[in-house]
Amino acid sequence: MAKIVAAYCYTYELALPEKMGDAKHGVHEHFELPIIRLTNEDGLEAVGYSYTGGVGGRAVLAHLKYDLTPVLLGKEANDIQDLFEAMYWKTHYVGRGGAAGFAISAVDIALWDLKGKEQGHSLLKMAGGKNQTTRAYAGGIDLNFTREKLIDNVEGYLEKGFQAVKIKVGRPDLVDDVARVKAIRNLIGPDRILMVDANYGFSRDQAKAAADAFAPYDIFWFEEPIDPEDIDGYAWLAERTSIPLAQGENLHSAREFRDVIRNAKVTYIQPDASNCGGISGWLEVAKMAKTAALTVCSHGMQELHVSLMSSQPHAGWMEVHSFPIDAYTNRQIELYEGLAVAPDVPGIGVDFIWDKLAPFEIKLC
């Protein structure tokens, strides 16, 4: 097994094609892409990455550069679990999630990439290799869109072949939310799937009222209706609505996921490898979900999650996110009859176009 001899760290600030809004974070104008490149003593190079909603990219970069790189250099790259533990405890006092968790996730992804390239195995195979495809939905960040623009946006999803879509809810007036949900249900028809996502913009009572109002429109799941840390609130709401609940993108540790899986009464759990411990963390959550008879889904970074979701027998729906990370890679998401196809190449299957990223690199102060 070859040792890690070099690590290079970057963060890029990438403008979105248009402003996109949700109920809690406001309007996004850009997202950030922290990346780490590892080289082993045989000359193999691997890449790992995370992403942010536009805040914290420099903090992730600092963790990668100053805290985690020293843990990696000179170590055997295949000792992924040992390195994960070393990184976790190195940053434990200031971490257990947050920017440190995003940085650990990026490194873990790079280690899996290196392992796959060393062994000649795809991420799909390394993760279990159940299928080559997974169900995919288009997840819009569209709360700031007018109703007409929202409809146009969803029409674009349908033209691309998506059979499931998700829209944001949480407008100041619930009547407006309901009108938008109704308009999209009428647009996509009764046979396609419609999810809604509040980005924890509601109180418990508001979420209950919204769920009651959305129920006639056959909502597949209600995502993050309330604060993701309000586990009792999710259980309370689950007992008072027929709409299944989903959450997970804001959970960053195995303990957080364990508590939600055991107590929140959600139906769909949505780990994001960018912040829950990378591939190792995502697979751990998937294992927890299977044991609890829950459906594992994903949030964001579809170019990576397509392999993880395809690998799991209890996978639900993979989000194709509005942050277009794959616009900066050599392989965009491939749909076949509404299913996303996993790449069959050694490593994670994500190959960045460095010349395209270069103009957007941001530096530490």
Side-chain angles (χ1 to χ4, degrees), residues 27-296:
V27 174
H28 299 277
E29 297 186 5
H30 65 273
F31 67 100
E32 297 167 313
L33 188 66
I35 296 178
I36 183 166
R37 297 167 76 175
L38 301 179
T39 305
N40 71 7
E41 56 192 342
D42 292 334
L44 276 179
E45 187 176 273
V47 66
Y49 64 105
S50 182
Y51 72 95
T52 81
V55 175
R58 290 173 178 82
V60 178
L61 177 60
H63 277 299
L64 288 170
K65 185 177 179 66
Y66 299 117
D67 301 326
L68 302 187
T69 293
V71 176
L72 302 171
L73 294 179
K75 300 299 194 304
E76 298 285 353
N78 276 341
D79 295 334
I80 296 178
Q81 187 57 41
D82 287 347
L83 288 172
F84 188 98
E85 291 289 328
M87 292 187 293
Y88 177 80
W89 289 110
K90 177 77 171 181
T91 60
H92 181 264
Y93 190 57
V94 297
R96 287 169 287 172
F102 282 71
I104 291 172
S105 298
V107 173
D108 183 84
I109 291 167
L111 293 172
W112 280 84
D113 192 34
L114 195 55
K115 178 180 178 180
K117 289 173 178 175
E118 286 180 337
Q119 298 179 350
H121 294 160
S122 67
L123 177 55
L124 174 67
K125 182 174 181 178
M126 292 189 291
K130 177 64 177 179
N131 299 298
Q132 189 74 37
T133 60
T134 188
R135 291 173 291 183
Y137 72 91
I141 304 176
D142 47 30
L143 193 65
N144 61 313
F145 292 179
T146 65
R147 197 181 312 171
E148 292 73 21
K149 183 172 177 56
L150 175 66
I151 291 170
D152 289 344
N153 200 52
V154 173
E155 284 178 339
Y157 297 151
L158 302 182
E159 290 169 3
K160 292 177 180 177
F162 287 101
Q163 299 302 304
V165 300
K166 184 176 76 183
I167 67 170
K168 299 294 189 182
V169 294
R171 305 273 284 195
D173 190 335
L174 178 58
V175 172
D176 194 9
D177 272 335
V178 173
R180 291 160 74 87
V181 168
K182 179 179 179 181
I184 298 306
R185 171 52 72 197
N186 289 340
L187 171 66
I188 68 176
D191 298 327
R192 293 188 178 96
I193 284 176
L194 174 59
M195 301 100 154
V196 296
D197 181 358
N199 290 102
Y200 47 98
F202 292 133
S203 68
R204 291 186 186 187
D205 289 338
Q206 288 171 330
K208 171 64 168 62
D212 290 345
F214 299 152
Y217 303 103
D218 190 19
I219 303 303
F220 190 78
W221 75 45
F222 193 174
E223 184 172 334
E224 285 196 328
I226 60 176
D227 183 343
E229 296 179 354
D230 184 7
I231 294 175
D232 291 342
Y234 276 85
W236 177 89
L237 184 60
E239 293 174 349
R240 291 164 172 79
T241 178
S242 61
I243 302 175
L245 305 181
Q247 73 135 306
E249 70 186 76
N250 283 288
L251 307 178
H252 297 161
S253 70
R255 180 174 180 175
E256 289 178 323
F257 277 100
R258 190 177 299 114
D259 289 346
V260 166
I261 288 170
R262 287 177 178 173
N263 303 309
K265 297 185 180 180
V266 299
T267 302
Y268 300 97
I269 199 74
Q270 302 165 303
D272 186 332
S274 78
N275 61 39
C276 74
I279 292 164
S280 298
W282 195 97
L283 289 173
E284 183 176 1
V285 175
K287 183 178 179 180
M288 290 183 204
K290 186 177 182 182
T291 299
L294 294 184
T295 301
V296 67

